[in-house]
């Protein structure tokens, strides 16, 4: 029930699967989540694991097998390894397609470059590790990522600290990652179990989190209790070095990568390859998604959305919200707006309370709770079973002005990041200072804004930024349409064109129309519009659908 309970609490409607392959469960769940994202079954996935040891059963069972360390510490790959140590924990990863994360303004902490899962099958024992199977799953993950062993810098190993398991895993790593590496670049090896013990179902996701943090800090942390490597491993068989001390891991060169392993006592093995976030994931987007209040607009008026199954339920919800806001906590209005819009169910009776600050918003919800009219409170009811659809209509040349989008650029990191990407591509195509014209300062009278080449490129960049901003707020269209250059924005929004292709088309169109004699360009005024030729009428009637 646990995966269904999480989906119920968060309102998730994609695949909800509880995975139990013992110690490899969370990495197998991550592998399945990646597959669901690639197949389009969902757009955002939560993958991870949790272990709560409510009974002493596991302690008793492993103690009888002499598999527990007497001091409770995992001495992964160390000479003093004498068994594993149990731990409890929960580790969850949010996974999204890279293109979606960029478009939605989400921070990209790292990329899953490849993953693989296999099974020991008929081996030397159900619960015994199998070296050849471990080698196969590593090679499968490398092949899926289109990488060689030398492209990976460090492995976060399963490394439970048992006398049987550690040597088998080390030999598998020596046979795969330890071969065909450049001289002086050995594979570094460590295990988070030496820090937090073996969290079983959560262990694989914990290893991924450790490697993501290592990428962020530029440091490969040492593996504890491993000052002397295990004498049961032939370390000379390949280039693998135990992380007995922390080592720098700076970026700036080739992408940094780490492998993460999790091998279940059931015989199900998983391996993933984590890569540092690509440079295109810019700071404005990362900053935009750190907190809800920054993801839309800085300093903008907030809109609190409320709903109930009846008018009385709506008023009661408003009363509870007013009581919360007056309770002394003083929540940020934008954070409350974000939570109301994205985490609550939407019922038929609805209201929107607008306000520039917390006092104005509290006054609005108080009036709504009392059934009193208020100037910034909008109410209404939606017929049962009716779902509204959203359409975006993009304007063409004639809607431009110097300085359009300047205040929004300063207020919204999401808009700014999307605008910057589009402008960079357009300026590379045309060699013109589009940003300077579009974001002209207050009071600036730049006549270039009405020139076709600046008008069309500027409109496209601003509209692309608006699409990204609305998407960050959870607003995506069911249908799109546009006029003139707005048709290209519509095609880009619908996914018909990539941003690069759309910018190339906009730039070429704007340049060719700019080169026409002044009397032959499309007139700015709709009142002076000529008779449209048949091909133009046909294109104007075209509608792009998602």
């Amino acid at each position: 029930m646990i995966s269904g309970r999480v989906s119920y609490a968060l309102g998730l409607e994609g695949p909800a699967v509880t995975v139990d392959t013992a110690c490899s469960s969370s990495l197998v769940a991550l592998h399945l989540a990646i597959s669901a994202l690639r197949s389009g079954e969902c757009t955002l996935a939560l993958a991870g694991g949790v272990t709560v040891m409510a009974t002493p059963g596991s302690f008793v069972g492993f103690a009888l097998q002499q598999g527990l360390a007497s001091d409770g510490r995992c001495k992964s790959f160390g000479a003093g390894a004498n068994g594993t140590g149990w731990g409890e924990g929960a580790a969850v990863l949010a996974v999204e397609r890279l293109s979606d994360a960029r478009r939605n303004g989400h921070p990209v902490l790292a990329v899953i470059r490849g993953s693989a899962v296999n099974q020991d099958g008929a081996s030397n024992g159900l619960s015994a590790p199998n070296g050849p199977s471990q080698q196969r799953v590593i090679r499968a993950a490398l092949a899926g990522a289109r990488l060689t062993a030398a492209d990976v810098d460090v492995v976060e190993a399963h490394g439970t600290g048992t006398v049987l398991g550690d040597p088998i895993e080390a030999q598998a790593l020596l046979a795969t990652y330890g071969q065909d590496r450049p001289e002086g670049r050995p594979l570094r090896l460590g295990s988070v179990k030496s820090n937090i013990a073996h969290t079983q179902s959560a262990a694989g996701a914990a290893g991924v989190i450790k490697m993501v943090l290592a990428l962020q800090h530029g440091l490969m942390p040492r593996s504890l209790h491993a000052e002397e490597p295990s004498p049961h491993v032939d370390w000379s068989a390949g280039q693998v070095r135990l992380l007995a001390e922390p080592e720098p891991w700076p970026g700036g060169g080739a992408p940094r990568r780490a492998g993460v392993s999790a091998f279940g006592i059931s015989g199900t093995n998983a391996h993933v390859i984590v890569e540092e976030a690509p440079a295109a994931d810019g700071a404005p987007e990362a900053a935009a998604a750190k907190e809800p209040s920054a993801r839309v607009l800085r300093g903008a008026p907030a809109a609190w959305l409320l709903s109930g199954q009846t008018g009385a339920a709506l008023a009661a919800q408003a009363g509870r919200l007013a009581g919360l806001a007056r309770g002394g906590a003083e929540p940020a209005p934008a954070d409350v707006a974000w939570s109301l819009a994205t985490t609550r169910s939407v019922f038929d009776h609805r209201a929107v309370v607008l306000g520039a600050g917390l006092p104005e918003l509290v006054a609005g919800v108080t009036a709504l709770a009392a059934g009193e009219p208020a100037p910034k409170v909008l109410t209404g009811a939606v017929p049962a079973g009716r779902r509204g659809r959203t359409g975006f209509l993009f304007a063409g040349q004639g809607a431009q002005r110097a300085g359009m989008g300047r205040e929004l650029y300063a207020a919204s990191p999401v808009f700014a990041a999307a605008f910057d990407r589009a402008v960079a591509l357009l300026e590379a195509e045309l060699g013109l200072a589009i940003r300077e014209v579009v974001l002209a300062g207050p009071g600036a009278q730049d006549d270039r804004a009405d020139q076709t080449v600046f008008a069309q490129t500027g409109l496209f960049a601003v509209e692309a930024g608006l699409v990204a901003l609305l998407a960050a707020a959870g607003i995506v269209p069911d249908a799109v349409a546009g006029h003139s250059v707005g048709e290209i924005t519509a095609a880009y929004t619908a996914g018909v064109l990539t941003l690069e292709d759309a910018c190339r088309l906009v730039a070429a169109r704007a340049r060719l129309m700019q080169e026409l004699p002044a009397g032959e360009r499309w007139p700015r005024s709709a009142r002076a519009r000529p008779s449209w030729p048949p091909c133009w009428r046909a294109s104007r009637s075209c509608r792009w659908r998602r």
Side-chain angles (χ1 to χ4, degrees), residues 366-421:
T366 301
L368 178 61
E372 300 172 354
K376 293 189 177 181
V377 177
L378 308 175
T379 60
V382 178
R386 289 278 299 276
R387 176 188 174 271
R389 303 185 69 211
T390 302
F392 288 179
L393 180 62
F394 297 97
Q397 187 173 351
Q400 76 281 350
R401 59 179 174 83
M404 60 179 175
R406 182 183 63 252
E407 295 178 0
L408 190 56
Y409 184 92
S412 170
V414 175
F415 175 86
F419 178 88
D420 286 343
R421 284 198 300 273

Side-chain angles (χ1 to χ4, degrees), residues 340-367:
L340 289 171
T342 61
T343 66
R344 307 241 351 143
S345 299
V346 179
F347 298 110
D348 293 345
H349 293 262
R350 305 174 187 178
V352 180
V353 180
L354 305 174
L358 189 60
E360 192 172 9
L361 289 161
V362 171
V365 292
T366 301

